[in-house]
Amino acid sequence: MTPLELLLIATKNKGKVSEFRELIDVASLAVDDLTNHAPSPDVVEDGASFLENACKKASEYARRFQCWALADDSGLAVDALDGDPGIHSARWAQMHDAGKGDADNNRLLLEQMDDFDDSKRTARFMCALALADEQGRIVLTCQDSVEGRLLREARGSKGFGYDPLFFVDAHGKTTAELSSEEKHNISHRGKAMRTMVKLMREHGLLN
C-alpha cells in the first residue's frame, strides 16, 4: 500500500482529539479531525459492541470526507453493573434522564455504585479502533483495555469522561491525576493506538 499523507480522526470529542494528536507522532502524516469541519450529522452509534461502532464511524466518515479515517469507540465497563455503561458511556446520564455530559455521567455512576463496597467496584476502560480507506472499507482494527476500580469521589482534573473516578492501583492515582505521558503509557486508547500505528507500518501505510 502507498503511505498515507492525511488521516482524519473521526471524532468531535476535544479530549480524544488532543490524545490522538499526541499519540500519532508521525512526521510524514498530516492529521485532521472533525472539529476542523463545518457541523455535519453524527453517525448513529447503534452497534452492539465498541468495535462495531468504531467500524461504522470510520467507514461513514471516510466516505463522507473521501479520505482515510480512524475512528474509536471507547467507554467504561463496570463489573457490578454487568458491563454498563459500556457502549453507552458518553450518553449514560442522558439515557436515564439524569442530565447530559461528563459531570452528570459521573454523578449518576456514583449514585448507582453507592451501595457496593470497595471489593465490588472493579472496572475497565475499553477502546476499539478502526481504520477505513477513502471508499469506507475497513482495513485495520484493534482493541485494548486497562483495569482499575471506581472511587467514591472524583479526583484530578487532567482527564475527561470518567477519568476522575477511575483509579489505577499500580500508579496510586486516577487517570485524571496522571500526566499525559503516564496516561498514554497505560491507557486503553494509548495501548490501542500504539498497536494501530504498528499495524499501519506493517501494511505500508506509514513510513
Side-chain angles (χ1 to χ4, degrees):
M1 292 185 179
T2 304
L4 301 185
E5 296 180 357
L6 173 67
L7 178 65
L8 175 71
I9 305 302
T11 184
K12 302 173 185 176
N13 183 309
K14 293 182 179 180
K16 289 185 180 182
V17 166
S18 177
E19 289 193 356
F20 276 121
R21 285 185 173 277
E22 291 174 0
L23 288 164
I24 303 173
D25 186 19
V26 180
S28 61
L29 182 65
V31 177
D32 194 10
D33 64 75
L34 295 180
T35 66
N36 293 326
H37 296 269
S40 60
D42 291 334
V43 172
V44 178
E45 298 179 40
D46 54 4
S49 67
F50 291 115
L51 185 56
E52 285 185 21
N53 283 331
C55 288
K56 184 176 184 182
K57 288 187 286 187
S59 182
E60 291 196 24
Y61 282 119
R63 289 196 301 269
R64 187 178 301 177
F65 293 100
Q66 298 183 323
C67 66
W68 284 74
L70 177 70
D72 102 307
D73 197 43
S74 52
L76 180 69
V78 180
D79 293 317
L81 300 181
D82 297 323
D84 283 335
I87 58 174
H88 307 296
S89 292
R91 303 173 296 279
W92 192 236
Q94 194 172 2
M95 289 175 59
H96 290 80
D97 296 321
K100 182 180 180 180
D102 290 351
D104 289 328
N105 287 337
N106 286 336
R107 187 181 306 110
L108 175 60
L109 184 60
L110 285 177
E111 291 173 1
Q112 293 170 325
M113 293 297 296
D114 190 53
D115 292 335
F116 291 94
D117 61 39
D118 291 348
S119 66
K120 302 294 184 182
R121 300 175 73 89
T122 53
R124 66 201 50 80
F125 274 129
M126 303 175 69
C127 174
L129 294 178
L131 179 70
D133 67 13
E134 299 100 325
Q135 287 76 46
R137 297 172 297 197
I138 300 300
V139 177
L140 296 171
T141 65
C142 62
Q143 300 183 75
D144 220 313
S145 63
V146 58
E147 299 289 327
R149 56 189 173 89
L150 298 179
L151 298 182
R152 295 183 179 275
E153 60 182 16
R155 280 175 40 180
S157 59
K158 297 178 183 177
F160 62 97
Y162 297 96
D163 281 338
L165 302 181
F166 190 81
F167 188 83
V168 181
D169 285 291
H171 287 263
K173 297 178 180 179
T174 67
T175 43
E177 295 176 300
L178 297 174
S179 67
S180 292
E181 182 178 358
E182 289 173 323
K183 184 180 179 184
H184 295 336
N185 283 339
I186 60 101
S187 77
H188 53 315
R189 192 168 295 109
K191 291 190 288 185
M193 194 61 234
R194 284 191 291 276
T195 298
M196 179 59 74
V197 169
K198 181 174 181 289
L199 291 172
M200 291 172 72
R201 291 191 189 281
E202 291 174 352
H203 285 74
L205 294 169
L206 293 178
N207 290 320

